[in-house]
Amino acid sequence: DCGNFPIFGAPCNWKAKEELVLLEAIEQYGFGNWEDVSQCLPSRSSEEVQEHYNNHYIVGNIGRATWSTEVSTQIKDHTVPEGGPLSPSLSSPVAPVDITPSEQQELGYMPCRDDYEREYDNEAESLISQLSVGEEDELETALKLAQVDMYSRRLRERMRRKALVRDYRLLEQFCHAGRPKASPVGGGRSKRSTREADRELQEKMRIFCQFQSAAEHEQLLENLEREKELKARIKELLRYRRNGITKLDECSEFDVARHRREKRKEVKKKSAPASSVHKKPISTASKKYEEKGGVDTILNEQGDTREDSKEATDITSLPGYELLSDKEKKLCQSLGISPACYITFKTVVLKDQAQRQKGSIAKFRSPAGLDKSHCRRILNHFANSGWISAN
């Protein structure tokens, strides 16, 4: 019957086709434009249309099933998608800035809106200010879309720079320059040391601030400083290893002995001229070994880092003592050197001698710091034992 039947029960006398026309008219003209809607229904007045729609589609069963009675009071920014780059959300408040109202006026900064009177790339809006929408071909539409895309890119760059200013608290640093520094608001960055090396590192790494947040950049600087400390510690441990020290409890003794030796050198250098230094006789074997650039020559350049031979120490409890012969034990005891240091020096010298016998001459670095007189006595012992030759 072409919609000539009622949808709602009595006393409603509206036909199904009238209901369909009513819904289409409201969708076209919008809710509240009852005069325009009633023109689509010649048999109904605007008052009848309004009353029927409110009673059946809003207050009636359909309205109760489709309309929520709770009204949301939370303000939401609908200008961009949630988390979009062009505008901060109104629901997330901006962190307070520690500057005075007079400083805000001088900078043209509006803290509640987090905007400036003159923004970065302040003429960006001129790209779209003259755009209009109308009947146009595909080329003109593409050109206008390209202009909008350019404008969006410039807005994103503006927001990126503003985010950097907030994150690194550049406004406070600019306004507080030359003033006594106060504690930062809202948990600022941790206090860093003001050494010259740290300031140079911060200046070198400043270029990476634009790619990182303040917390990430702070962590990067801390990691670089930690890396520097670890490298220095590794270098120190390698120096201990080269001097025959393999245990941490021996490091303190080594440092004390080296400090004493350096102090004695300074005292000798100040008290007596270099020409008056007493020279001990050198055996033929050790003299020829020195002339060929052996280990003793290198040791002479490095100097001594051990205790003097006059200060005899008990070496019976040191590691490697049981590996020495009786003569070697007496020699180490008289020189005051550890068995590990002696064994390392002996290994280097014998390897050097073996290479010389093969015809290859290599420059060795001594793994242990010994006094010049100690080296000569040890080389004399090696020559007397037949381990190294005089030629």
Side-chain angles (χ1 to χ4, degrees):
D1 54 0
C2 298
N4 292 322
F5 58 90
I7 295 179
F8 302 101
C12 179
N13 58 355
W14 282 60
K15 306 297 182 181
K17 59 182 180 181
E18 290 180 318
E19 301 285 356
L20 182 60
V21 173
L22 173 63
L23 296 177
E24 291 178 350
I26 290 179
E27 183 179 1
Q28 180 179 359
Y29 296 108
F31 179 80
N33 297 321
W34 305 117
E35 293 291 340
D36 296 332
V37 173
S38 62
Q39 292 180 4
C40 298
L41 297 167
S43 60
R44 305 291 181 179
S45 64
S46 59
E47 291 78 7
E48 290 178 334
V49 171
Q50 179 181 0
E51 182 181 1
H52 177 75
Y53 187 82
N54 290 335
N55 291 338
H56 292 85
Y57 292 95
I58 295 181
V59 182
N61 294 331
I62 297 178
R64 287 193 296 269
T66 56
W67 290 87
S68 175
T69 57
E70 297 180 359
V71 179
S72 177
T73 58
Q74 184 179 6
I75 301 175
K76 186 176 181 181
D77 184 8
H78 294 278
T79 56
V80 293
E82 185 176 357
L86 298 182
S87 176
S89 176
L90 294 177
S91 59
S92 58
V94 180
V97 181
D98 186 20
I99 57 177
T100 61
S102 60
E103 292 171 341
Q104 295 175 9
Q105 293 180 0
E106 292 177 3
L107 295 174
Y109 176 67
M110 295 169 280
C112 295
R113 297 174 52 184
D114 193 31
D115 287 333
Y116 300 85
E117 293 181 2
R118 184 171 183 83
E119 298 279 0
Y120 168 78
D121 197 2
N122 203 47
E123 305 298 329
E125 284 73 15
S126 61
L127 285 171
I128 60 172
S129 60
Q130 302 298 328
L131 291 183
S132 60
V133 180
E135 295 182 0
E136 51 198 16
D137 55 12
E138 295 182 359
L139 180 59
E140 292 180 352
T141 303
L143 289 175
K144 291 181 179 180
L145 291 176
Q147 286 182 277
V148 173
D149 182 65
M150 292 169 60
Y151 173 66
S152 300
R153 291 174 183 270
R154 294 167 78 168
L155 277 187
R156 289 188 179 91
E157 177 63 19
R158 179 187 297 174
M159 296 306 301
R160 187 186 71 86
R161 291 172 178 261
K162 291 172 67 175
L164 286 176
V165 171
R166 284 196 305 270
D167 195 13
Y168 286 91
R169 311 185 74 86
L170 299 182
L171 286 179
E172 292 92 327
Q173 295 183 26
F174 178 78
C175 295
H176 296 174
R179 302 181 186 178
K181 292 186 178 180
S183 58
V185 178
R189 299 174 62 185
S190 60
K191 294 183 178 179
R192 306 186 57 83
S193 58
T194 56
R195 294 182 302 173
E196 187 66 26
D198 293 340
R199 287 197 295 268
E200 292 180 0
L201 178 62
Q202 293 177 16
E203 289 295 330
K204 291 180 180 179
M205 303 304 295
R206 179 176 293 182
I207 189 174
F208 297 104
C209 292
Q210 57 181 323
F211 307 112
Q212 298 174 318
S213 63
E216 293 173 346
H217 189 70
E218 181 75 15
Q219 186 65 37
L220 174 63
L221 294 178
E222 291 179 359
N223 291 341
L224 291 176
E225 291 180 1
R226 178 60 177 166
E227 179 187 9
K228 185 178 179 181
E229 294 174 359
L230 290 176
K231 285 183 177 180
R233 180 57 178 167
I234 291 173
K235 186 177 180 180
E236 184 180 5
L237 293 176
L238 290 176
R239 179 168 55 84
Y240 290 146
R241 187 68 176 270
R242 287 195 302 268
N243 287 275
I245 297 176
T246 57
K247 295 183 179 180
L248 292 177
D249 53 358
E250 299 177 357
C251 296
S252 58
E253 299 178 4
F254 173 79
D255 292 333
V256 171
R258 185 183 62 177
H259 180 66
R260 291 177 181 174
R261 179 60 185 174
E262 290 176 353
K263 288 187 68 175
R264 285 197 298 269
K265 282 185 176 180
E266 292 179 1
V267 172
K268 289 181 180 179
K269 192 174 182 180
K270 293 179 180 179
S271 60
S275 59
S276 62
V277 177
H278 177 67
K279 296 183 179 180
K280 296 183 179 180
I282 306 174
S283 65
T284 306
S286 60
K287 184 183 296 184
K288 291 187 177 181
Y289 195 75
E290 289 181 13
E291 291 175 355
K292 294 184 178 182
V295 180
D296 189 39
T297 305
I298 303 168
L299 290 173
N300 294 341
E301 298 175 358
Q302 292 181 346
D304 181 25
T305 58
R306 292 287 182 178
E307 288 286 349
D308 201 356
S309 59
K310 295 180 181 179
E311 301 177 2
T313 57
D314 185 14
I315 64 172
T316 56
S317 60
L318 297 180
Y321 180 78
E322 66 279 359
L323 302 177
L324 304 179
S325 63
D326 294 338
K327 291 184 178 180
E328 290 175 332
K329 292 178 181 178
K330 293 180 180 180
L331 179 62
C332 292
Q333 185 71 36
S334 62
L335 296 179
I337 61 176
S338 64
C341 180
Y342 171 79
I343 293 173
T344 304
F345 180 75
K346 177 181 176 181
T347 303
V348 173
V349 172
L350 295 182
K351 285 184 178 180
D352 187 13
Q353 179 67 18
Q355 290 189 4
R356 291 178 185 279
Q357 291 178 356
K358 294 179 181 180
S360 60
I361 300 177
K363 186 176 181 180
F364 291 92
R365 293 186 61 186
S366 172
L370 296 174
D371 191 6
K372 185 186 297 185
S373 60
H374 294 177
C375 295
R376 289 168 182 164
R377 290 185 60 181
I378 294 174
L379 290 175
N380 289 336
H381 171 70
F382 291 165
N384 296 332
S385 301
W387 293 337
I388 61 176
S389 59
N391 51 6

